[in-house]
Amino acid sequence: MIDYELIGHTADAEFRAYGKTLEEAFKNSAKAMYAVLIDPKEIKSKITHKIHVESENRQALLYDFLEEFIVLMDVEGFMLHDLEVHIDEKNGGRLEIDAVVTGDVNTNYKISGDIKAVTYNDMKIEEKKGIWMCQVVVDI
Amino acid sequence: MAHNHSNNRSDNKAEQEDLRKKLKKINDNIYEVPREGAMKIPGRIFVNEKLLKEIDTETIKQVMNAATLPGVLGYSIAMPDMHRGYGFSIGGVVASDAENGMISPGGVGFDINCGVRFLVTALRKEEVEKKINELLNEIYKLVPCGVGEGGEKISKEDLDEVMKKGAEWCVEKGYGYEEDLKHCESNGTIPGAKPEYVSPTARKRGVGQLGSLGAGNHFMEIQVVNKIFNKEIAQVFGIKEEGQICVMIHCGSRGLGHQVCSDYIREMQKADPVTFENLPDKDLVYAKTNSELAKQYICAMNSAANFAFANRHMIMVQIRKAFNKVFGVSEKDIKLVYDICHNMAKLEEHNIDGKMRKVYVHRKGATRSFPPGHPELPEEYQKTGQPIMIPGSMGTASYVLVGTEDAMKQSFGSTAHGAGRLMSRHEANQRFRGEQIKKELEVQKIYVKAASWKGVSEEAPKAYKDVDEVVKVSDAAGIGNLVVRVVPLGVVKG
């Protein structure tokens, strides 16, 4: 199983991320989004951030979770190296995600491009034969 | 697991043929998408046969989807540079009743008031060519470009003022001149901006970014007048002769605008989850115009739009400085011709079926095209109509057009906004190399200064539609008439 793949999209960037659990697929989604700009393997692990998001359903959770990274990128110049993800299902279908993310600031690397926003365009979160897949288009 | 996933879901030939057969040719430059299913109005796309071949069916479906929204009037329109967006197509123009309609953040786009500012100088190509690299370096030094490059550090209080006043704030602070303001769409200040509806997160993203270019398809270009189609109008716009040097600035509201859009997409989803789940495409999410949430979004959108006006204004101020330093010309002699928005929703009055009606015109990758005599235009342009700037892709021509009465009749006073992408950035990256493109452009005497090579390859000229064809359709359909063609001499990219 590959972690993620980038797919062409006329105006934007699209990716599919995979995992044996929903948590792993979310983790790989964050990596895939960063991979649109630079392979997370190239980023050093110097800074740690904690992310906490609560949303009303799975797709909203993925949207809000990825948006946290876009804000971190814009405000702190944060680039992702790796992360740990924990998802909790609450009563009434609400979901909570807690993540510990490590990485570095973008000024230490040659990075081009910007991610403007997450979109709902063609967003999919599916489980087939024990493999979770998240498909997302981001606006760049 | 799927690896051979097609780039384009609608590559299915039969489906494509089917949808194309439905299109009704009105004339050589206009096709109608007839009403069907939940569509409340028909669609109209402004393309010729050549451009039609390049349009994927997904884009046409997006035109049809937009026609299903509440309160839409006239036609769901797409411009000649149309291509696939999310929810609404890029190049989409949708008008919705001001009282019983909807407003949609996705119909505006993430980069609220992304737009183009165009300046003319009295310098000639021969003078500027000699020092082009020096000029590009100076601009690059003065205007923050690319990722991680912030802009003017302003206080939180100032950010509020910027969002309320737009370019006017800059002039009040001593940046630029009073006369710059009337040469901007809406005088560089959209009324009805209320920053209290802009989230702390959006503010956090905006506070350090004023006067910065950003990355992606945003650029600053030193251009040469290459052909004048309409001498009289060109003269009024300050364009006198071939060989004259001009400047084009293309950027928007940066992270602040992106966050405003995203925030309100989520708010509208939460406010009406049932409608949201039933939308043909989630990014079409909207609020009814009479709702509190719609009012809040409009106030926030206008705030972001003003930030964008101020952003382009501050970049212009730095470019004037660079010209002054390298060529000794007075900053005041670098004149602002006009500044237009191409991602915006505006409250306007249009004649629909013989009746004047107030509508929110969503222009997502479309430019306003107002005719001579329109009260929104400054005195100087009353006789000509509104200047319209259509930037090409890197290394190709750009155009100045003029607004028309026909645009008011056919497209809610709108025309195209650029070349329109043909190829994804990902594909462009795999096919082209930035260094190679820079070399090829240098052979054509076009000089590029960029924050990164990847930024250059993603914006490779071949990744875009032919801008010449786009403006040809605009002119032939009468929704924006040709005035001047300019060609690049130097490009600064994020």
Side-chain angles (χ1 to χ4, degrees):
Chain A
M1 183 183 73
I2 51 164
D3 289 344
Y4 58 82
E5 56 184 337
L6 303 180
I7 303 162
H9 187 277
T10 318
D12 313 295
E14 181 170 14
F15 61 80
R16 284 176 170 188
Y18 304 95
K20 289 192 183 98
T21 59
L22 183 65
E23 284 170 342
E24 198 186 353
F26 266 56
K27 171 181 167 168
N28 287 331
S29 295
K31 285 188 177 179
M33 184 173 77
Y34 271 99
V36 169
L37 303 177
I38 186 169
D39 189 338
K41 288 192 195 95
E42 289 179 36
I43 303 292
K44 291 195 177 97
S45 174
K46 285 187 184 170
I47 306 165
T48 304
H49 280 288
K50 281 185 179 164
I51 288 176
H52 174 85
V53 184
E54 244 188 274
S55 313
E56 66 271 33
N57 59 47
R58 270 185 203 139
Q59 288 207 355
L61 187 73
L62 184 57
Y63 188 107
D64 293 344
F65 176 58
L66 292 176
E67 186 170 274
E68 288 288 317
F69 290 99
I70 294 176
V71 175
L72 271 179
M73 231 185 293
D74 227 10
V75 179
E76 317 260 343
F78 178 79
M79 300 304 290
L80 181 69
H81 168 68
D82 205 355
L83 71 164
E84 286 305 322
V85 172
H86 179 73
I87 297 175
D88 250 345
E89 201 148 344
K90 310 263 271 190
N91 289 337
R94 284 190 73 79
L95 294 153
E96 244 180 46
I97 193 165
D98 281 288
V100 179
V101 306
T102 61
D104 197 358
V105 288
N106 55 12
T107 42
N108 293 334
Y109 306 86
K110 273 231 144 199
I111 294 155
S112 86
D114 220 348
I115 296 177
K116 289 180 189 171
V118 189
T119 78
Y120 275 120
N121 196 313
D122 276 325
M123 186 189 271
K124 281 188 189 124
I125 302 176
E126 294 169 352
E127 190 248 11
K128 269 182 201 160
K129 293 177 189 161
I131 302 290
W132 285 87
M133 189 274 292
C134 298
Q135 175 175 296
V136 183
V137 175
V138 289
D139 187 26
I140 57 176
Chain B
M1 240 166 253
H3 291 285
N4 294 319
H5 183 78
S6 157
N7 275 357
N8 179 347
R9 257 152 288 241
S10 297
D11 271 345
N12 181 332
K13 277 257 154 57
E15 193 193 2
Q16 205 157 8
E17 271 310 298
D18 211 36
L19 194 56
R20 256 159 226 274
K21 263 187 217 150
K22 279 187 199 157
L23 298 180
K24 200 173 101 195
K25 187 170 176 174
I26 303 292
N27 60 41
D28 285 347
N29 300 292
I30 304 173
Y31 289 77
E32 182 155 320
V33 191
R35 258 184 78 174
E36 65 165 52
M39 286 170 79
K40 294 188 170 71
I41 49 172
R44 281 242 165 142
I45 59 179
F46 287 79
V47 286
N48 58 15
E49 226 163 283
K50 190 175 165 196
L51 287 172
L52 185 61
K53 280 189 196 129
E54 291 170 351
I55 292 165
D56 74 47
T57 39
E58 200 65 37
T59 313
I60 298 169
K61 274 191 201 154
Q62 291 186 331
V63 173
M64 296 165 80
N65 286 341
T68 66
L69 299 176
V72 288
L73 297 169
Y75 296 100
S76 168
I77 296 167
M79 292 301 154
D81 49 340
M82 68 191 274
H83 60 92
R84 185 178 156 200
Y86 21 82
F88 298 75
S89 76
I90 313 288
V93 177
V94 176
S96 161
D97 188 82
E99 267 138 47
N100 298 305
M102 58 85 209
I103 188 123
S104 171
V108 171
F110 280 102
D111 196 355
I112 296 168
N113 188 6
C114 183
V116 183
R117 184 172 278 230
F118 185 61
L119 318 169
V120 287
T121 76
L123 292 163
R124 293 209 35 95
K125 183 186 176 189
E126 305 77 61
E127 301 166 74
V128 174
E129 203 166 29
K130 278 184 267 176
K131 291 184 175 179
I132 187 68
N133 283 318
E134 199 184 327
L135 177 66
L136 296 182
N137 286 336
E138 196 59 33
I139 293 173
Y140 194 77
K141 218 159 65 186
L142 289 172
V143 183
C145 304
V147 175
E149 290 295 325
E152 198 85 2
K153 294 277 175 280
I154 53 170
S155 69
K156 282 180 182 167
E157 292 73 28
D158 274 345
L159 181 63
D160 262 26
E161 290 302 301
V162 168
M163 290 194 277
K164 277 185 210 156
K165 293 181 177 168
E168 202 184 313
W169 176 85
C170 309
V171 175
E172 274 176 17
K173 289 274 167 181
Y175 301 107
Y177 312 105
E178 192 67 42
E179 58 261 39
D180 290 336
L181 298 178
K182 53 184 185 174
H183 284 187
C184 295
E185 189 170 323
S186 301
N187 298 312
T189 310
I190 310 262
K194 286 189 185 156
E196 56 266 40
Y197 294 114
V198 174
S199 73
T201 311
R203 285 156 186 268
K204 214 161 68 178
R205 287 179 75 175
V207 78
Q209 292 186 328
L210 187 66
S212 65
L213 186 72
N217 62 347
H218 294 151
F219 64 80
M220 298 173 282
E221 203 165 84
I222 311 301
Q223 302 169 330
V224 185
V225 174
N226 170 262
K227 190 174 179 179
I228 299 178
F229 301 93
N230 187 324
K231 263 197 177 155
E232 229 169 277
I233 292 177
Q235 191 83 23
V236 178
F237 292 173
I239 300 156
K240 296 187 176 72
E241 52 184 9
E242 285 169 16
Q244 189 179 346
I245 293 290
C246 315
V247 182
M248 205 173 260
I249 303 161
H250 175 216
C251 69
S253 49
R254 309 282 279 109
L256 187 140
H258 309 157
Q259 192 63 39
V260 166
C261 180
S262 192
D263 285 342
Y264 281 91
I265 284 178
R266 290 287 288 119
E267 288 305 318
M268 290 176 191
Q269 174 187 5
K270 285 178 203 164
D272 190 352
V274 177
T275 305
F276 180 82
E277 288 306 324
N278 290 319
L279 286 168
D281 195 331
K282 304 277 180 283
D283 292 294
L284 292 166
V285 66
Y286 60 83
K288 293 271 183 71
T289 42
N290 54 15
S291 69
E292 205 43 49
L293 192 50
K295 284 173 196 143
Q296 290 173 5
Y297 169 67
I298 291 163
C299 291
M301 171 190 66
N302 289 340
S303 304
N306 285 337
F307 183 86
F309 278 131
N311 196 30
R312 289 193 289 275
H313 192 95
M314 297 304 274
I315 290 173
M316 170 188 74
V317 167
Q318 299 296 0
I319 290 179
R320 279 176 171 159
K321 267 192 206 156
F323 268 93
N324 170 266
K325 189 169 175 208
V326 178
F327 300 102
V329 292
S330 153
E331 290 177 28
K332 215 167 183 169
D333 287 340
I334 296 161
K335 300 234 190 268
L336 171 54
V337 178
Y338 210 60
D339 179 309
I340 55 95
C341 320
H342 57 219
N343 274 5
M344 199 56 202
K346 283 178 131 183
L347 185 61
E348 292 171 6
E349 254 188 283
H350 288 274
N351 188 329
I352 297 159
D353 300 326
K355 221 172 110 188
M356 288 308 279
R357 293 180 75 161
K358 279 197 174 161
V359 287
Y360 279 105
V361 181
H362 295 70
R363 295 188 184 92
K364 181 186 185 177
T367 313
R368 197 185 71 176
S369 170
F370 276 180
H374 197 285
E376 276 267 329
L377 302 183
E379 211 187 319
E380 302 89 291
Y381 302 146
Q382 277 295 321
K383 281 194 178 143
T384 55
Q386 177 209 310
I388 297 158
M389 284 77 71
I390 313 265
S393 53
M394 189 173 54
T396 66
S398 294
Y399 289 84
V400 179
L401 277 60
V402 71
T404 66
E405 199 56 56
D406 265 351
M408 295 307 276
K409 287 177 192 147
Q410 300 189 81
S411 58
F412 298 107
S414 319
T415 188
H417 88 303
R421 282 200 90 90
L422 205 54
M423 197 183 285
S424 74
R425 291 185 168 93
H426 180 63
E427 190 182 347
N429 253 325
Q430 289 176 331
R431 285 182 54 172
F432 310 116
R433 284 187 58 229
E435 295 95 320
Q436 187 60 33
I437 289 164
K438 185 178 148 107
K439 272 185 202 147
E440 282 170 22
L441 289 171
E442 261 168 33
V443 173
Q444 300 173 51
K445 299 209 161 153
I446 301 167
Y447 301 88
V448 181
K449 174 101 190 151
S452 86
W453 291 124
K454 191 163 155 255
V456 175
S457 59
E458 283 176 352
E459 297 301 312
K462 281 177 194 145
Y464 281 85
K465 291 184 198 198
D466 183 357
V467 70
D468 301 328
E469 208 61 34
V470 168
V471 294
K472 207 165 94 184
V473 171
S474 171
D475 187 81
I479 54 172
N481 292 344
L482 284 165
V483 180
V484 169
R485 179 170 67 212
V486 294
V487 291
L489 179 62
V491 190
V492 179
K493 280 203 46 58

